Amino acid sequence: MEDNGRDGIKVENGYGFEDDHEQKKKEKEEGLSVERIFENQEVPSWRNQLTMRAFVVSFVLSILFTFIVMKLNLTTGIIPSLNVSAGLLGFFFIKTWTKFLEKSGLLKQPFTRQENTVIQTCVVASSGIAFSGGFGSYLFGMSETVAKQTTEESGAFKNPSLSWMIGFLFVVSFLGLFSVVPLRKIMIVDFKLTYPSGTATALLINSFHTPAGAKLAKKQVRVLGKFFTFSFFWGFFQWFYTAGDGCGFANFPSLGLKAYENKFFFDFSATYVGVGMICPYIINISVLLGGILSWGLMWPLIDTKKGDWFPADLKPNSLHGLQGYKVFIAIALILGDGLYNFFKVLSQTLAALFFQLRRRYVTNALPIADHSSPESSRISYDDQRRTQLFLKDQIPTWFAIAGYVAIAAVSTATLPHIFHELKWYYILVIYIFAPALAFCNAYGCGLTDWSLASTYGKLAIFVIGAWAGSTHGGVLAGLAACGVMMNIVSTASDLSQDFKTGYLTLSSPRSMFVSQLIGTAMGCIISPGVFWLFFKAFKDLGTPGSKYPAPYAAVFRNMAILGVEGFSALPKNCLYLCYGFFGAAILINLIKDSLNKKWARFIPNPMAMAIPFYIGSYFAIDMCVGSLILFIWEKIDRAKADAFGPAVASGLICGDGIWTLPSSILALAGVKPPICMKFLSRRTNSKVDAFLGS
């Protein structure tokens, strides 16, 4: 296989490295070559890239990032890219380790960028399960807690349990990896897809391993450490004031009590200030606009229709009342935006695929007299070197196909025992279509950096839910099918991103694949364990208005109800409002795509606007504060903001995120905070004083 890889590069590129002198001339014209910097460093074999120390560090970082992703999942569902902090912390830990061993004379293998890439891949794969595992969406949407908030008649539920969650993830999380392996050369070498996140991660890792980059990385780690410490102790300090419901800084009515009632306040969350510094400005503004539109205008207006549009005596959380409008209008926006982007990316994917194949056919059809074609002669030294090593360690196609078929067979036999409503033939149909959908998602992600995993999952909810029907547990079947589909397409696009990162850092595809397998296996154990800690420590988990409302759990379950029961589940006039917002989401996207980049960047994102519809806009205030800090910093010193902004944001997110571990342990141990800091209106305060005085 390895010989074929080396021969393949000669055929494809049309020349070997004998034209090196010519190439060096070209590099001077083209600018500095990255691989020229590293050409004196030996590239380790794929086995030597997979070190024990890399996986020990990956395991520690996976726990840290799983806590962060889980917290974000269960609060708002907004999860920014944590690649910078994963790469930075991986570099820091191994560099410290190797420096210590070097001083003691025990260092056997230096720290390379390939090993750094293995850590990055493993950590992102592991913490990614916290998202694709559905702990804040479809999986928790099956629980009794969420079922009680819905309108369905059957109210079927399946409460979380550590054993079945781990079993479920192990049988569904690996299929996507095997489905995309045979296509790695086509997507990375032939089509040269950009995979922006994978490329950015590779550039970051490459920079760490240059002398100047290593010096900057040390400074970035120092800054990250400072803000990590501040954020952790700020979370600890806030804990002392949260002895009861509605207590603490998180319930500070910073914009007034009336605004607080409508979810407009700054809740002093270091996590979401950090998220705001990472997310693009337009996302933060979109979330704030969505909050103003819903909680500032629509919900107060709909509330005046109480007794007309819906009964006045309903419970606040009843989906037949105001809560129904909040949930279903948010779903309409999410579906409108998701389906528009699904068809947009699909059409771009098919069009690009057609032109790539056509160009390849034309190129291959041309008679070439010399051994070097005009196309191949333009290939830089970097691309030659990267392609040669990328094709050297091939993963056999038969292995990928056999792996997919074997895991699909085990999964088809196992899943009906975990979810009785999910029949074996539903699963078989999903697995027949899944490789094509996984390819579409991976290809689309390479073009746009946009993974549509949750959109494919939602399509599975509607298709399988409607197929099963309400009398045969269609809601649970749809949610379980969503999990199967999401895990396949999500891991496929993640591995493709990792292949791109590996290509640009000269990391072997085999080491990337093995690292992704080990990271996924870690995630299948770590993520359910972390979720179980949250589930046991916080008894009101998933309840609207609680510390961890898990908004997407209710959204996904209600999508399943819509798929099974149709529009009969909606309150009065809600359907017309849903039509309007569904159409508005499509229209906003059309306007955005029709404008040039200069003006398109000012058009809000409908998906981001939908998030506060259900849970309020308090976190939007935090995110906009983060945006404002970064904006002012960029105006004062752009270079420093670019260099240290991600480190500051990552420190804020990581410190506050890891505080959830000791706070969960304290809650499990029954240790309660000593103080309740609450804010009352003057009138209520006078009544309390009069009561206490009597």
Side-chain angles (χ1 to χ4, degrees):
M1 274 295 178
E2 291 183 8
D3 290 339
N4 289 342
R6 280 193 285 269
D7 292 342
I9 187 66
K10 286 179 184 174
V11 172
E12 193 143 346
N13 287 345
Y15 57 82
F17 286 93
E18 61 269 9
D19 300 316
D20 207 50
H21 182 66
E22 263 321 286
Q23 277 305 115
K24 282 190 177 179
K25 276 187 182 176
K26 284 178 192 167
E27 295 299 343
K28 285 180 183 176
E29 293 169 12
E30 292 173 6
L32 186 64
S33 160
V34 173
E35 296 310 327
R36 291 283 182 202
I37 299 168
F38 296 105
E39 68 180 336
N40 294 324
Q41 294 181 12
E42 185 186 351
V43 177
S45 68
W46 72 272
R47 285 187 178 88
N48 289 336
Q49 292 171 23
L50 302 165
T51 62
M52 181 56 72
R53 67 189 181 195
F55 291 118
V56 170
V57 168
S58 297
F59 183 74
V60 173
L61 290 178
S62 293
I63 294 171
L64 167 66
F65 284 106
T66 299
F67 266 98
I68 294 163
V69 173
M70 196 66 72
K71 181 181 179 178
L72 295 170
N73 246 334
L74 296 172
T75 47
T76 63
I78 298 175
I79 303 167
S81 172
L82 298 169
N83 284 6
V84 172
S85 36
L88 202 57
L89 288 170
F91 175 80
F92 168 70
F93 279 123
I94 295 285
K95 204 71 178 170
T96 306
W97 186 329
T98 52
K99 189 171 275 189
F100 172 75
L101 290 176
E102 195 173 13
K103 283 180 181 176
S104 59
L106 298 171
L107 183 65
K108 292 179 181 176
Q109 185 176 337
F111 181 40
T112 62
R113 57 191 175 134
Q114 288 79 23
E115 191 178 355
N116 205 158
T117 307
V118 164
I119 295 170
Q120 173 83 20
T121 301
C122 192
V123 172
V124 172
S126 181
S127 57
I129 298 291
F131 167 71
S132 62
F135 300 100
S137 55
Y138 65 84
L139 191 141
F140 190 48
M142 300 178 188
S143 68
E144 187 178 9
T145 306
V146 180
K148 284 178 179 176
Q149 300 168 29
T150 60
T151 58
E152 62 185 305
E153 292 174 13
S154 65
F157 62 86
K158 186 175 181 68
N159 278 324
S161 163
L162 210 50
S163 56
W164 75 253
M165 288 191 297
I166 291 172
F168 168 70
L169 290 175
F170 264 106
V171 295
V172 300
S173 297
F174 295 91
L175 276 151
L177 306 181
F178 287 92
S179 68
V180 83
V181 162
L183 304 167
R184 66 187 177 86
K185 178 181 173 290
I186 293 170
M187 292 194 282
I188 306 297
V189 178
D190 297 346
F191 293 169
K192 292 182 172 57
L193 298 176
T194 52
Y195 289 102
S197 289
T199 300
T201 303
L203 294 174
L204 185 76
I205 290 170
N206 283 336
S207 73
F208 286 163
H209 293 267
T210 60
K215 196 177 285 185
L216 176 62
K218 282 180 185 175
K219 290 179 182 175
Q220 288 172 325
V221 167
R222 208 171 293 132
V223 169
L224 190 150
K226 282 179 187 174
F227 282 90
F228 177 96
T229 307
F230 163 76
S231 179
F232 181 86
F233 282 105
W234 173 239
F236 180 43
F237 175 74
Q238 287 187 82
W239 176 81
F240 282 96
Y241 298 90
T242 57
D245 292 336
C247 300
F249 286 90
N251 295 283
F252 194 111
S254 46
L255 301 174
L257 287 166
K258 192 67 181 172
Y260 174 80
E261 284 173 19
N262 287 291
K263 307 288 185 182
F264 284 95
F265 58 95
F266 177 64
D267 75 344
F268 294 90
S269 167
T271 295
Y272 283 102
V273 172
V275 169
M277 291 180 74
I278 291 176
C279 286
Y281 292 131
I282 192 60
I283 295 296
N284 300 330
I285 296 298
S286 299
V287 173
L288 185 60
L289 278 174
I292 293 168
L293 178 64
S294 55
W295 290 86
L297 294 171
M298 287 176 57
W299 307 157
L301 285 172
I302 292 174
D303 198 41
T304 62
K305 301 292 183 182
K306 192 186 290 182
D308 179 13
W309 285 13
F310 56 92
D313 57 349
L314 288 173
K315 290 180 182 177
N317 292 335
S318 171
L319 286 179
H320 289 295
L322 182 59
Q323 188 78 352
Y325 294 91
K326 294 176 185 178
V327 171
F328 290 115
I329 292 173
I331 288 172
L333 260 181
I334 290 166
L335 287 178
D337 185 70
L339 288 174
Y340 175 87
N341 284 293
F342 170 73
F343 287 112
K344 174 186 160 185
V345 172
L346 187 65
S347 60
Q348 286 177 345
T349 300
L350 294 174
L353 196 57
F354 171 74
F355 286 118
Q356 289 275 14
L357 292 170
R358 188 179 174 192
R359 190 171 66 186
R360 204 170 169 206
Y361 172 77
V362 170
T363 306
N364 290 343
L366 287 172
I368 299 171
D370 195 8
H371 74 290
S372 145
S373 68
E375 179 69 26
S376 64
S377 64
R378 285 198 297 271
I379 295 175
S380 67
Y381 171 79
D382 281 7
D383 283 341
Q384 288 180 63
R385 182 114 170 95
R386 287 164 178 167
T387 308
Q388 181 199 39
L389 287 163
F390 188 75
L391 296 179
K392 178 187 169 187
D393 294 326
Q394 292 201 11
I395 302 165
T397 302
W398 67 262
F399 172 77
I401 295 169
Y404 185 88
V405 171
I407 296 172
V410 171
S411 183
T412 305
T414 308
L415 285 175
H417 294 286
I418 300 173
F419 306 105
H420 302 301
E421 298 82 2
L422 192 65
K423 305 302 180 188
W424 67 268
Y425 42 88
Y426 301 158
I427 304 162
L428 188 62
V429 168
I430 291 171
Y431 287 159
I432 289 168
F433 289 101
L437 298 176
F439 169 73
C440 288
N441 193 48
Y443 191 96
C445 195
L447 291 173
T448 63
D449 206 29
W450 200 326
S451 173
L452 296 173
S454 60
T455 306
Y456 286 104
K458 287 162 197 163
L459 290 174
I461 287 178
F462 287 113
V463 172
I464 302 298
W467 186 3
S470 58
T471 54
H472 295 92
V475 172
L476 288 186
L479 290 169
C482 171
V484 175
M485 183 62 79
M486 259 184 80
N487 276 284
I488 293 171
V489 295
S490 177
T491 50
S493 63
D494 288 349
L495 182 59
S496 300
Q497 291 273 19
D498 293 333
F499 278 147
K500 183 68 177 185
T501 305
Y503 173 79
L504 295 170
T505 57
L506 302 191
S507 305
S508 168
R510 286 188 187 177
S511 67
M512 293 293 92
F513 182 70
V514 172
S515 178
Q516 185 91 14
L517 281 176
I518 292 171
T520 301
M522 283 182 188
C524 290
I525 297 169
I526 294 170
S527 290
V530 171
F531 175 75
W532 192 246
L533 188 63
F534 275 84
F535 186 66
K536 288 294 181 185
F538 305 103
K539 300 299 179 188
D540 58 354
L541 184 77
T543 307
S546 66
K547 188 177 181 182
Y548 297 106
Y552 277 104
V555 166
F556 271 66
R557 187 174 185 102
N558 282 292
M559 282 184 188
I561 293 168
L562 272 180
V564 172
E565 297 182 3
F567 297 127
S568 61
L570 300 176
K572 187 181 177 182
N573 293 323
C574 187
L575 181 59
Y576 301 116
L577 289 168
C578 288
Y579 283 150
F581 278 89
F582 182 87
I586 293 170
L587 183 63
I588 290 168
N589 277 302
L590 281 169
I591 292 168
K592 187 169 189 170
D593 288 340
S594 63
L595 295 173
N596 59 39
K597 281 188 178 179
K598 183 183 176 183
W599 299 108
R601 62 197 177 102
F602 295 111
I603 304 296
N605 181 292
M607 186 78 77
M609 287 177 71
I611 296 166
F613 273 50
Y614 178 56
I615 55 172
S617 49
Y618 56 91
F619 67 95
I621 310 280
D622 301 344
M623 289 171 70
C624 286
V625 167
S627 272
L628 183 63
I629 291 167
L630 186 66
F631 181 77
I632 293 168
W633 192 1
E634 284 177 341
K635 290 295 178 187
I636 296 168
D637 191 338
R638 179 93 196 194
K640 270 197 173 179
D642 289 344
F644 297 104
V648 170
S650 299
L652 290 172
I653 293 168
C654 293
D656 197 31
I658 207 63
W659 163 248
T660 56
L661 174 57
S663 71
S664 301
I665 293 167
L666 288 169
L668 283 171
V671 179
K672 295 189 182 295
I675 306 165
C676 173
M677 183 175 74
K678 214 164 194 174
F679 298 89
L680 308 172
S681 66
R682 187 169 57 234
R683 185 180 298 172
T684 307
N685 189 56
S686 300
K687 288 178 182 177
V688 171
D689 286 345
F691 175 77
L692 293 173
S694 63

